[in-house]
Amino acid sequence: MATPRGNDPILDNLVWSDIEYRLCDFVDRFQLPQIVKVTEGYYGPTEDSCIGADQILTIHSVKTTGKILARDRKKRELNIPLNCSQKVELRPEDFRGIYETVEEISSIPTRFVRVTQGFFSMDDNSVCLNPGDKLEMINIEFDPVGKEYCILFHNEERIPFRLPFSASAGFQALVDGREYYLKEVVSSSPKLPLYFQFTSPPSITKCSSEHVFNTGLGVLSLEKVYQDATVICTTKEGNERTVVSCPKHLPVTINVARGALSDDKEYVRICRTFQ
């Protein structure tokens, strides 16, 4: 972000007022686009996260994006776009990590589970569970003396099969077995916090930032929905323009050109040339 001020005669000849604004106040008060000079910059951990003093910016617009604040099991924060394209599954509020036997899931308060560790029946070649399979528990069945001994399941193709209580695998409890977009979760479940997990598998071959959000994050707690405002700017050095984006509430102070305060027609024309 820290592009140095270029030798542009139009920008270099602007006359600056003595009035300074915080970035967040300026974009709320003035109609955009506007040309400003940074008087107090921001110096982040990397060069790309810095905005240097005396830098001239053309502020074009403010983009508002809905986001959620979530936390993982280690209480680390994740800020996830509300329009994220990966779907999620809801977990019960009193979820446990992994249930390791069929008998353990017989008493959970929900009917749906996701397989996390596979199972193959030596007695029935047709019963094979793979990690990622989603099952619905239909009924607990009893032996001739009235003792619980197995669960009747349906798989995702609605094919019934039975697993004895003693069968060992890995299961995660699901609220309802459905998959949702985050927007749907927020609109249908106003009570927070709620617990969810992404359904997509981890991807190490694709570069899209959305693939950061995957099942490898584990169960997350959705704690808050908020609007994140980003200011879109450009800087100019010679004939090259660089797009700069930063949070609206970044602690940056800017100086406004006199033309912006007097509605000067020449200043308005200059702003439009940089749109």
Side-chain angles (χ1 to χ4, degrees):
M1 277 187 201
T3 303
R5 179 176 173 179
N7 295 319
D8 187 293
I10 297 176
L11 298 179
D12 291 347
N13 290 329
L14 285 174
V15 179
W16 304 101
S17 72
D18 295 328
I19 302 176
E20 296 181 351
Y21 293 90
R22 292 183 303 171
L23 178 63
C24 58
D25 296 332
F26 181 84
V27 295
D28 285 341
R29 176 167 179 173
F30 289 87
Q31 184 176 351
L32 302 179
Q34 295 284 348
I35 301 173
V36 300
K37 181 170 68 173
V38 178
T39 55
E40 185 176 336
Y42 173 81
Y43 301 94
T46 65
E47 183 178 354
D48 288 342
S49 65
C50 298
I51 296 181
D54 293 329
Q55 184 175 357
I56 294 178
L57 302 175
T58 302
I59 301 179
H60 296 274
S61 61
V62 178
K63 180 182 178 182
T64 302
T65 305
K67 290 188 175 182
I68 68 164
L69 171 65
R71 294 183 189 273
D72 64 13
R73 292 181 181 178
K74 296 182 179 179
K75 304 300 181 182
R76 294 175 296 195
E77 291 188 359
L78 292 91
N79 297 282
I80 304 172
L82 200 54
N83 62 356
C84 180
S85 63
Q86 266 111 320
K87 287 189 173 183
V88 303
E89 292 174 322
L90 298 181
R91 304 289 183 205
E93 184 175 353
D94 57 349
F95 72 91
R96 248 182 57 182
I98 302 294
Y99 296 87
E100 297 181 347
T101 67
V102 171
E103 184 174 11
E104 285 183 336
I105 63 173
S106 67
S107 59
I108 64 175
T110 61
R111 293 178 17 235
F112 295 89
V113 293
R114 174 75 73 180
V115 177
T116 61
Q117 180 177 327
F119 171 83
F120 178 77
S121 174
M122 301 298 292
D123 301 321
D124 184 351
N125 291 335
S126 66
V127 178
C128 179
L129 303 181
N130 296 306
D133 289 351
K134 185 164 53 181
L135 311 177
E136 180 181 3
M137 295 185 286
I138 303 302
N139 196 22
I140 296 176
E141 297 188 346
F142 300 80
D143 63 16
V145 297
K147 184 179 179 181
E148 299 173 337
Y149 80 102
C150 76
I151 296 180
L152 172 66
F153 292 91
H154 280 171
N155 62 17
E156 291 178 84
E157 288 75 38
R158 306 297 298 170
I159 298 174
F161 66 94
R162 291 169 174 80
L163 286 177
F165 271 23
S166 59
S168 296
F171 306 95
Q172 282 183 312
L174 305 176
V175 167
D176 54 15
R178 292 180 55 192
E179 297 181 7
Y180 298 87
Y181 291 111
L182 283 174
K183 278 187 175 180
E184 296 174 315
V185 171
V186 169
S187 62
S188 63
S189 305
K191 182 182 177 181
L192 300 178
L194 58 86
Y195 301 90
F196 70 94
Q197 185 169 6
F198 286 102
T199 59
S200 61
S203 173
I204 59 174
T205 59
K206 298 183 180 180
C207 297
S208 170
S209 61
E210 283 205 352
H211 288 282
V212 171
F213 306 121
N214 53 56
T215 190
L217 293 171
V219 179
L220 304 175
S221 169
L222 195 165
E223 300 192 352
K224 184 175 73 171
V225 181
Y226 67 98
Q227 296 295 315
D228 183 46
T230 301
V231 179
I232 310 299
C233 314
T234 56
T235 62
K236 192 170 186 292
E237 183 178 10
N239 293 323
E240 294 188 7
R241 297 175 68 183
T242 303
V243 177
V244 175
S245 61
C246 64
K248 177 182 174 182
H249 291 280
L250 197 71
V252 169
T253 303
I254 56 178
N255 196 203
V256 59
R258 288 183 181 177
L261 301 175
S262 61
D263 200 24
D264 180 81
K265 292 183 179 180
E266 178 62 16
Y267 171 76
V268 173
R269 184 191 68 79
I270 292 173
C271 287
R272 287 175 180 170
T273 64
F274 287 93
Q275 278 185 308

